[in-house]
Amino acid sequence: MATPLTLSDIYIYPVKSLGGIRLTEAAVGMRGLQYDRRWLIVDARNQFMTQRQIATMALLDVAPAFNGFLLTHRQHPDLLPLYIPFEADREKTLFVTIWDDMVFAWRGTPAADEWLTEALGQECRLVYMSEMVRREVEPDKPELNPAGTLVSFADGYPYLLIGQAALDDLNERLTTPVLMDRFRPNLVFTGGAPFDEDTWADFRVGDIAFRAVRACGRCVVTTIDQQTAQKNPETLSTLASYRTVGRKVMFGQNVTASGQGTIRVGDPLTVLGYKEQS
């Protein structure tokens, strides 16, 4: 008898490429989970910054606080915790670049800029994406996404889904097992065989409808230990040995939502349709 599919973990990453927060429930929105990747760190040229270039961003932890969250540096005890509200003040704006997109953003505080500049060792700024911003999901591929599908400061899609069985399968092949956090999912589920999610199209978590659009191509971030910021290429090279499609290494599914509401750990996951086989 097949094991039921169940939502086992929910994660948000309030500041792109910093530590995540594990939740028991979360509000689903059209551009992602509430508070997920609405803040972004940019450099002096207003270009987005991630662990791809600065692995030590993994050392900045994010913890929930009243009406916001706290940033701390795991290896820099002299830096006092920095409070960041859920939303920025709209007094100052600037244009920032993330991948091929240029969008306007609200500035964070000078104190946040100074804190992050010291923490990361280079000039940087903290910016926020408001509800007024329209950053569309792959507008050049309307066959994959309805027009107007929005995304936050996530790389490309509002949600990332990974099955626990997929990670278990990878860990059986690795010399040193890794944690799910280096793949930075929003939704993790248990049940089913490894990589079952590759075949899904439409599915439901509780009462909310989602669509698995396409597999997620992985990068060097998967080699970074999120506890130490140390790199080990084995993770990506092992994945490449059996998960390469074209020139990309695939792990997890990029997902959009077609409904709104609340999802909770323990919710049943129901597959409603499957991708056409090419």
Side-chain angles (χ1 to χ4, degrees):
M1 185 175 179
T3 306
L5 303 175
T6 304
L7 185 66
S8 55
D9 284 297
I10 303 170
Y11 296 95
I12 60 170
Y13 309 88
V15 182
K16 181 179 178 65
S17 232
L18 301 192
I21 299 176
R22 189 179 187 182
L23 303 175
T24 57
E25 64 178 50
V28 172
M30 302 311 288
R31 72 175 83 212
L33 294 175
Q34 187 178 29
Y35 309 129
D36 184 52
R37 297 177 173 96
R38 300 300 288 269
W39 289 94
L40 175 73
I41 301 172
V42 298
D43 63 18
R45 298 177 300 144
N46 295 332
Q47 300 278 332
F48 79 115
M49 297 165 58
T50 75
Q51 290 183 36
R52 294 172 181 85
Q53 299 81 31
I54 306 174
T56 53
M57 292 176 76
L59 300 176
L60 301 189
D61 289 326
V62 183
F66 179 72
N67 284 336
F69 49 92
L70 291 176
L71 299 188
T72 55
H73 195 303
R74 206 174 303 139
Q75 295 182 0
H76 200 327
D78 293 336
L79 271 178
L80 296 178
L82 174 70
Y83 173 78
I84 305 293
F86 285 135
E87 297 184 6
D89 192 316
R90 61 189 298 174
E91 287 185 2
K92 295 183 179 180
T93 63
L94 74 167
F95 281 96
V96 300
T97 302
I98 175 168
W99 295 113
D100 296 328
D101 300 324
M102 179 178 285
V103 299
F104 81 87
W106 295 351
R107 287 288 304 271
T109 64
D113 295 348
E114 292 171 8
W115 193 96
L116 288 165
T117 294
E118 182 174 355
L120 298 177
Q122 69 176 75
E123 182 182 349
C124 51
R125 305 181 180 98
L126 185 65
V127 300
Y128 175 80
M129 177 182 285
S130 78
E131 288 294 331
M132 294 185 291
V133 172
R134 293 187 60 81
R135 182 180 177 228
E136 294 190 14
V137 174
E138 296 192 288
D140 58 331
K141 297 180 180 178
E143 72 279 7
L144 294 179
N145 303 290
T149 303
L150 302 180
V151 62
S152 64
F153 284 129
D155 278 346
Y157 277 78
Y159 299 90
L160 179 64
L161 169 80
I162 300 177
Q164 182 62 44
L167 179 65
D168 295 343
D169 180 86
L170 171 62
N171 278 333
E172 289 178 0
R173 304 166 189 261
L174 295 175
T175 304
T176 303
V178 299
L179 299 176
M180 185 67 84
D181 59 5
R182 68 175 64 195
F183 300 99
R184 305 181 69 78
N186 297 112
L187 311 174
V188 180
F189 70 93
T190 55
F195 307 107
D196 270 356
E197 59 269 30
D198 289 353
T199 66
W200 300 353
D202 297 302
F203 66 96
R204 189 172 62 236
V205 177
D207 297 324
I208 301 178
F210 294 86
R211 170 165 289 184
V213 180
R214 63 179 179 85
C216 180
R218 308 316 303 231
C219 68
V220 69
V221 174
T222 62
T223 70
I224 301 172
D225 186 317
Q226 295 296 297
Q227 281 66 54
T228 66
Q230 298 300 306
K231 293 182 179 179
N232 183 341
E234 183 191 14
T235 307
L236 194 56
S237 62
T238 301
L239 272 177
S241 70
Y242 73 112
R243 292 290 298 171
T244 297
V245 179
R247 295 185 176 181
K248 294 184 178 181
V249 180
M250 303 301 192
F251 193 82
Q253 286 289 313
N254 288 305
V255 169
T256 59
S258 56
Q260 299 186 53
T262 301
I263 55 174
R264 297 174 176 84
V265 169
D267 279 349
L269 192 154
T270 306
V271 181
L272 305 174
Y274 294 86
K275 293 185 176 73
E276 295 182 5
Q277 298 299 312
S278 58

